[in-house]
Amino acid sequence: MQLPRWWELGDPCAWTGRGLGTRRMSPATTGTFLLTGEISNDPITFNTNLMGYPDRPGWLRYIQRTPYSDGVLYGSPTADNVGKPTIIEITAYNRRTFETARHNLIINIMSAEDFPLPYQAEFFIKNMNVEEMLASEVLGDFLGAVKNVWQPERLNAINITSALDRGGRVPLPINDLKEGVYVMVGADVPFSSCLREVENPQNQLRCSQEMEPVITCDKKFRTQFYIDWCKISLVDKTKQVSTYQEVIRGEGILPDGGEYKPPSDSLKSRDYYTDFLITLAVPSAVALVLFLILAYIMCCRREGVEKRNMQTPDIQLVHHSAIQKSTKELRDMSKNREIAWPLSTLPVFHPVTGEIVPPLHTDNYDSTNMPLMQTQQNLPHQTQIPQQQTTGEY
């Protein structure tokens, strides 16, 4: 596998014989490094990290859409990183041949106090992704359009951030929608009147109603860049007042009491035996009293229960005797045949002839063997219901 080629958009990195690339940056600029593989169609992915650490510095970002696309390493260092060389380990993986290659990129961050850019404007470009904006020709065209509107002597791109890093949504894969990108530029002259038009009340009202403001210089960007003028931010660092206040010693601050003097080792010993006994004796005494009260209630107050238990056998015997007497009476009644028949068995009139019909049960009929329900049989005295004749017989 051929070693990958590394370029920095704008000025190429100066590679040494050991494969170390050196790049100088300042907090007032955005550094962009394009990571691309050999001239082939092999899928190659890149892994970047700070030497000795598993991840990159907080100000440095990396993006690669697919293994067949180029990787972009970009970011803007802060003032805390000035004077500290940053070594980035870049490892390339060939997904087809499984070969790897590694290079080290040294970034020297210099101070930007010699070239201050106090006037900063941040634009939101809706029709661009971050990797598209980081291309040298695209970023150059955008800075050229801003320079025509602003007319500064010095103009630099300070920060480039994807809209997703600002809490934006991933666009739907329709109509070639883009994620959007924030571009902050800095200049050494005050803002132009065109940029100030966003701050007038009419445009602020239109932005609150989700309408596009009327900007006279928008046509200079519209050919290539769709700018959301409602999200533009203008920062004038010359008018920012420092929030640092010197501490003034007053009544609220205690005077200096000298060095701390710890207590001596000769402390008076204290006996905790009495405290220990009190801590255990009081809860134990309360628990004992409660136990005695409960034992008295459960064991000594059982007279009513014993009386009820003594009366229970007599009641059960009486109840059992009553059941036996009732059972005997029922058996005697079933054997006695001279008892009057129920009304349902007395003679009734025939519904057709009017004659008296004798009861269904004769005197010698054993009622103990009679089923609960009579079967549907033609008994001797059962009335026959005439059946309807069919039409064919007439």
Side-chain angles (χ1 to χ4, degrees):
M1 175 184 177
Q2 299 178 4
L3 294 179
R5 297 173 300 162
W6 320 92
W7 284 288
E8 190 274 326
L9 298 182
D11 299 330
C13 293
W15 294 97
T16 63
R18 296 177 298 174
L20 299 178
T22 305
R23 176 72 169 97
R24 294 182 179 180
M25 298 178 60
S26 65
T29 58
T30 298
T32 306
F33 303 90
L34 179 64
L35 282 59
T36 181
E38 57 182 300
I39 304 176
S40 65
N41 294 326
D42 293 345
I44 297 177
T45 58
F46 301 92
N47 184 23
T48 60
N49 64 281
L50 183 64
M51 178 176 286
Y53 294 90
D55 203 356
R56 298 176 300 275
W59 58 270
L60 195 60
R61 295 185 177 92
Y62 170 73
I63 184 173
Q64 184 182 16
R65 297 291 180 179
T66 63
Y68 294 94
S69 60
D70 297 332
V72 182
L73 189 67
Y74 66 99
S76 299
T78 60
D80 299 335
N81 305 115
V82 174
K84 300 177 182 179
T86 304
I87 303 177
I88 304 299
E89 293 181 345
I90 304 175
T91 306
Y93 301 92
N94 191 322
R95 297 299 180 181
R96 186 182 65 85
T97 62
F98 300 101
E99 294 179 290
T100 61
R102 177 172 294 178
H103 287 274
N104 292 337
L105 176 65
I106 302 177
I107 304 175
N108 293 321
I109 303 174
M110 302 178 300
S111 177
E113 296 180 357
D114 298 336
F115 304 97
L117 301 175
Y119 303 96
Q120 299 176 1
E122 187 178 55
F123 300 86
F124 178 63
I125 305 174
K126 297 185 290 185
N127 64 328
M128 287 285 177
N129 289 334
V130 61
E131 67 273 12
E132 299 173 351
M133 193 65 197
L134 289 171
S136 58
E137 60 276 6
V138 178
L139 184 59
D141 294 342
F142 178 75
L143 293 179
V146 175
K147 192 172 184 179
N148 292 334
V149 174
W150 202 338
Q151 298 296 330
E153 295 182 2
R154 294 183 62 253
L155 183 69
N156 287 335
I158 297 178
N159 191 16
I160 300 176
T161 308
S162 172
L164 300 182
D165 297 333
R166 298 284 188 90
R169 286 186 172 183
V170 177
L172 296 175
I174 57 176
N175 300 330
D176 196 21
L177 297 178
K178 303 294 183 179
E179 298 173 355
V181 59
Y182 288 90
V183 180
M184 177 176 286
V185 297
D188 54 351
V189 297
F191 303 107
S192 62
S193 58
C194 175
L195 299 179
R196 290 289 187 182
E197 291 179 0
V198 185
E199 299 178 348
N200 61 51
Q202 293 79 8
N203 287 330
Q204 291 294 326
L205 179 61
R206 294 176 66 89
C207 288
S208 63
Q209 298 175 354
E210 297 184 358
M211 301 173 60
E212 292 187 1
V214 179
I215 307 298
T216 57
C217 57
D218 181 57
K219 58 184 179 181
K220 296 183 179 180
F221 298 91
R222 184 65 63 176
T223 56
Q224 188 177 0
F225 307 99
Y226 293 160
I227 297 178
D228 189 348
W229 292 99
C230 291
K231 293 184 178 181
I232 189 174
S233 175
L234 304 178
V235 179
D236 187 359
K237 291 190 173 183
T238 59
K239 297 181 180 180
Q240 293 182 357
V241 180
S242 178
T243 58
Y244 174 77
Q245 296 181 358
E246 184 179 359
V247 179
I248 301 176
R249 190 179 299 275
E251 297 180 357
I253 299 178
L254 298 177
D256 189 7
E259 297 181 357
Y260 172 71
K261 296 180 180 180
S264 60
D265 298 336
S266 59
L267 295 177
K268 183 179 180 181
S269 61
R270 182 178 177 182
D271 187 9
Y272 293 94
Y273 182 73
T274 305
D275 298 339
F276 176 75
L277 291 180
I278 294 175
T279 304
L280 290 180
V282 174
S284 301
V286 173
L288 181 60
V289 172
L290 294 177
F291 176 76
L292 294 176
I293 295 174
L294 181 61
Y296 173 76
I297 295 173
M298 297 295 295
C299 300
C300 301
R301 302 286 295 178
R302 298 177 59 85
E303 295 180 0
V305 176
E306 293 176 357
K307 290 182 179 180
R308 285 194 299 269
N309 293 338
M310 292 175 65
Q311 295 175 1
T312 300
D314 298 337
I315 297 174
Q316 292 178 353
L317 291 175
V318 172
H319 182 63
H320 183 68
S321 177
I323 293 175
Q324 286 182 342
K325 290 181 180 179
S326 300
T327 305
K328 186 177 179 180
E329 291 178 359
L330 290 175
R331 289 178 179 177
D332 295 339
M333 291 172 63
S334 63
K335 294 179 181 180
N336 190 3
R337 303 306 179 186
E338 297 178 357
I339 301 176
W341 288 92
L343 295 178
S344 60
T345 60
L346 293 178
V348 294
F349 293 96
H350 194 276
V352 178
T353 61
E355 299 178 356
I356 298 176
V357 179
L360 296 178
H361 307 297
T362 58
D363 296 338
N364 58 354
Y365 188 81
D366 189 4
S367 62
T368 58
N369 298 327
M370 183 178 65
L372 296 177
M373 297 179 62
Q374 292 288 346
T375 59
Q376 295 181 359
Q377 299 177 356
N378 294 328
L379 298 177
H381 303 285
Q382 184 177 1
T383 304
Q384 298 292 334
I385 300 175
Q387 303 292 331
Q388 183 179 0
Q389 297 180 357
T390 58
T391 58
E393 298 179 357
Y394 287 96

